[in-house]
Amino acid sequence: MNVIVTATTPFPDQKPGTSGLRKKVSVFQRPHYLENFVQSIFDSLEDYAGQTLVVGGDGRYYNRHAIQVILRMAAANGFGRVLVGRDGLLSTPAASCVIRKHGAFGGIILSASHNPAGPDGDFGIKYNTSNGGPAPEKITDAIHRRSLEIREYRTLDSDDINLSKTGHASLGDMDVEVIDPVADYAELMETLFDFDRIRALVGNGRFRLCFDAMHAITGPYAVEILGRRLGVPADALINVEPKEDFGGGHPDPNLVYAKQLVERLYRDDGPDFGAASDGDGDRNMILGRHCFVTPSDSLAVLAANARLMPGYRDGLAGIARSMPTSQAADRVAEKLGIELFETPTGWKFFGNLLDAGRATLCGEESFGTGSSHVREKDGLWAVLFWLDLLAARQLPVQEIVSRHWAEYGRNYYSRHDYEGVSADGAGELMARLRELTGSLAGKRYGDYEVALSDDFSYTDPIDHSVSERQGIRIVFTDGSRIVFRLSGTGTEGATLRVYLERYEPDPARQALDAQEALADLIGIAGEIARIRHHTGREAPTVIT
Ligand code: VG1
Ligand code: CO
């Protein structure tokens, strides 16, 4: 084996954020930048000689190149085997599935999720551990520390591997197995849901659906699972061809970016069910005709109905949600008599709860839902869950949701994002809020009185690790909340996220538009945080 040791110097900016290291493609293209980070990952791991590594990505620009670099470095660093998706593709949840199923040591996932792709877009890389989940902070901190000291990296002097066909190849002493990116994942889905029941629904001649893969990774998964295995007609699956620049689009499944799909569902003759996924396949958006299911409501509805699904027939151990996610799921947990966990933002915080069997379903307001079947959030899983639910209950989406609200109450919910604002202004806004938190309790704003305000801190119930400064919470006496935090996934300036929530138990008052229902809280958020002053913005960039 021809190992080459290359001298390098550290980069100061390789600190992983909410979900791995994300930077502009041009940053990753700097000499040694990618290699430094990959070597820092390997240097932070122990005892992996001869073990298996899983590698794949969402297919965005630079994926092809980065995969070859990682394969050579994995061989030079002593891994015994790499499982890599055909053409270097693996959705994030499929990568998690493959790591678990094949008992791999870990995996490297190449993705910047929904961030735009292409030579001027973003690229990202993250490490997942043997449970299939994103590395916990202890490891990402170690990777970062290593990246600040690195002096050399190891690679091979060898040609690129052909990844276009499944099969085996050798790279130095390492075996490279090119796998079908969909097969393991599709097989897992068949164990969780009643495929016959879904097939009967989509083939009954009346039910129509539309799935939008947004020219990103879920295209091949949707074609195989929804199309071939479940019989969904080809014209119901749109934008299924993955593109290196996602077709110039922004594969963030929400009301703003999934415009084509939303328009279809809001037509009078539109389909009964609509769904989309994001760049790397871990997010989901669920729509009914003339209706949009917020991700927080979706988590609550799925939890309340889980026993209808073969994979969850025995019930749920518990539910976990990120702190800014609405409290709709809390009410379901209470009724089911199961535990509810409130974690910081980012899927890595669910891993311990899932591993310990304390939580079965997890969710984030940011269009992320998942369960103990893998250790990532899972877009297509959520779509299949909803389809199986529609098949089991034989009710329209809208009806399922409004019956849920009638039973549990409605948590009006919205997130306002101020994207690409100045990092200094956003930092000042948060610093000021942090100072204010001590003195807000008892203050009145219109009809609302502050009950509690703090900077959220989380102690993991399993390993007792503490994560501080996870977002400013202002909780009112009626349970309404405003949460402020800065994004940890952006690559330009700062993004301020403002999360708003109000509970409405009265079914007669549950049909308002969310922005209308939250208008007072939106005003209060602007006033307390002086958003206009600190960001220079009159309005949010994205409202979901
Ligand atoms: C955002 C979301 C968070 C999600 C993360 C990764 O993080 O708010 O809930 O886990 O993206 O999602 P932030 O720090 O920008 O708010 V994905 O689909 O990138 O893997
Ligand atoms: Co994603």
Side-chain angles (χ1 to χ4, degrees):
M1 201 164 60
N2 244 344
V3 174
I4 305 172
V5 177
T6 306
T8 186
T9 49
F11 290 93
D13 63 344
Q14 298 198 323
K15 185 173 168 53
T18 312
S19 184
L21 183 70
R22 291 191 190 171
K23 299 283 173 195
K24 292 267 159 235
V25 167
S26 55
V27 173
F28 271 103
Q29 281 171 329
R30 285 194 222 148
H32 312 305
Y33 194 90
L34 172 67
E35 290 85 349
N36 271 23
F37 192 71
V38 173
Q39 188 65 51
S40 300
I41 295 177
F42 294 155
D43 288 350
S44 311
L45 308 175
E46 277 167 18
D47 300 330
Y48 58 78
Q51 301 266 1
T52 300
L53 183 74
V54 172
V55 185
D58 62 16
R60 65 177 58 225
Y61 181 79
Y62 213 54
N63 200 66
R64 280 167 195 280
H65 171 76
I67 293 264
Q68 298 288 348
V69 169
I70 294 167
L71 289 178
R72 280 192 280 268
M73 288 184 67
N77 279 276
F79 274 94
R81 180 169 75 135
V82 165
L83 298 177
V84 54
R86 192 176 45 233
D87 293 324
L89 300 181
L90 274 178
S91 77
T92 293
S96 183
C97 164
V98 171
I99 293 171
R100 293 168 67 76
K101 182 168 173 178
H102 298 274
F105 183 87
I108 291 182
I109 302 179
L110 303 173
S111 166
S113 190
H114 52 282
N115 296 17
D120 301 323
D122 292 350
F123 190 72
I125 172 167
K126 70 171 179 172
Y127 179 71
N128 281 30
T129 51
S130 62
N131 72 346
E137 280 188 330
K138 199 174 71 179
I139 296 181
T140 55
D141 286 348
I143 296 172
H144 178 225
R145 275 197 306 276
R146 182 66 198 157
S147 76
L148 296 172
E149 298 162 351
I150 189 165
R151 292 287 163 225
E152 58 184 41
Y153 60 82
R154 296 167 74 81
T155 183
L156 282 195
D157 179 17
S158 64
D159 292 335
D160 282 0
I161 295 259
N162 178 0
L163 298 177
S164 66
K165 282 198 181 68
T166 55
H168 290 265
S170 295
L171 195 54
D173 299 336
M174 189 179 82
D175 176 44
V176 178
E177 186 177 348
V178 182
I179 59 168
D180 177 334
V182 184
D184 288 329
Y185 177 83
E187 201 176 282
L188 177 61
M189 292 302 116
E190 294 206 358
T191 67
L192 301 174
F193 304 111
D194 187 338
F195 270 47
D196 289 336
R197 181 164 65 185
I198 302 177
R199 211 176 287 117
L201 173 77
V202 303
N204 73 7
R206 296 181 305 277
F207 181 85
R208 286 184 304 132
L209 70 88
C210 180
F211 176 82
D212 188 348
M214 303 185 88
H215 287 305
I217 190 72
T218 48
Y221 293 81
V223 168
E224 170 63 25
I225 300 172
L226 298 176
R228 207 183 67 74
R229 300 195 187 203
L230 290 167
V232 173
D235 62 358
L237 308 176
I238 61 174
N239 303 321
V240 289
E241 189 197 331
K243 295 193 174 160
E244 284 203 328
D245 67 348
F246 300 142
H250 196 146
D252 195 356
N254 62 39
L255 296 176
V256 177
Y257 293 124
K259 215 165 158 235
Q260 188 186 359
L261 176 74
V262 174
E263 275 171 11
R264 275 202 195 197
L265 270 291
Y266 278 77
R267 274 190 222 142
D268 285 337
D269 63 347
D272 304 274
F273 176 76
S277 198
D278 71 334
D280 61 329
D282 57 0
R283 297 187 180 204
N284 72 91
M285 177 170 69
I286 302 296
L287 300 158
R289 192 181 300 135
H290 291 294
C291 107
F292 156 64
V293 186
T294 71
S296 298
D297 279 343
S298 178
L299 173 66
V301 169
L302 298 188
N305 291 281
R307 275 178 178 272
L308 297 172
M309 310 301 137
Y312 307 94
R313 199 149 274 158
D314 297 335
L316 308 175
I319 308 172
R321 62 163 174 82
S322 67
M323 184 273 282
T325 302
S326 101
Q327 299 161 99
D330 303 29
R331 299 182 182 275
V332 177
E334 200 184 334
K335 192 153 190 173
L336 293 174
I338 58 176
E339 283 191 288
L340 183 284
F341 300 92
E342 187 175 43
T343 61
T345 294
W347 211 260
K348 58 179 175 253
F349 294 102
F350 294 134
N352 279 348
L353 296 169
L354 292 164
D355 285 352
R358 295 276 290 273
T360 309
L361 290 195
C362 304
E364 293 193 282
E365 49 64 42
S366 53
F367 298 82
T369 334
S371 90
S372 50
H373 68 288
V374 289
R375 294 292 179 273
E376 290 278 3
K377 53 188 186 275
D378 190 344
L380 218 51
W381 167 90
V383 175
L384 291 168
F385 203 137
W386 266 95
L387 279 174
D388 204 6
L389 176 58
L390 296 173
R393 303 234 358 224
Q394 297 287 323
L395 289 170
V397 175
Q398 174 108 61
E399 191 60 31
I400 289 180
V401 173
S402 51
R403 287 192 194 189
H404 183 94
W405 291 339
E407 186 175 347
Y408 294 92
R410 175 173 181 184
N411 290 69
Y412 280 110
Y413 188 83
S414 182
R415 184 176 103 184
H416 289 197
D417 292 332
Y418 296 80
E419 296 179 322
V421 300
S422 108
D424 288 347
E428 280 161 24
L429 180 151
M430 291 301 287
R432 207 185 126 259
L433 276 178
R434 212 163 270 131
E435 275 170 30
L436 273 182
T437 51
S439 59
L440 285 179
K443 281 215 170 128
R444 290 198 74 86
Y445 294 89
D447 294 340
Y448 294 91
E449 184 184 333
V450 179
L452 172 155
S453 152
D454 66 0
D455 194 348
F456 182 62
S457 164
Y458 178 67
T459 305
D460 185 296
I462 312 300
D463 68 12
H464 309 292
S465 58
V466 177
S467 302
E468 288 176 317
R469 294 161 73 104
Q470 296 296 324
I472 305 291
R473 301 191 280 187
I474 303 176
V475 184
F476 298 93
T477 49
D478 69 343
S480 298
R481 298 190 309 166
I482 304 172
V483 174
F484 300 89
R485 59 179 284 282
L486 298 184
S487 159
T489 57
T491 60
E492 252 167 319
T495 291
L496 170 69
R497 305 205 193 283
V498 185
Y499 311 79
L500 306 133
E501 175 182 9
R502 175 168 88 75
Y503 182 60
E504 179 54 73
D506 181 359
R509 293 192 302 196
Q510 290 175 346
L512 288 182
D513 169 74
Q515 302 308 314
E516 231 172 86
L518 295 166
D520 288 350
L521 285 171
I522 293 168
I524 295 169
E527 183 188 333
I528 297 182
R530 302 183 65 198
I531 297 177
R532 199 173 297 169
H533 169 80
H534 289 292
T535 65
R537 296 281 173 80
E538 293 296 320
T541 354
V542 178
I543 294 180
T544 48

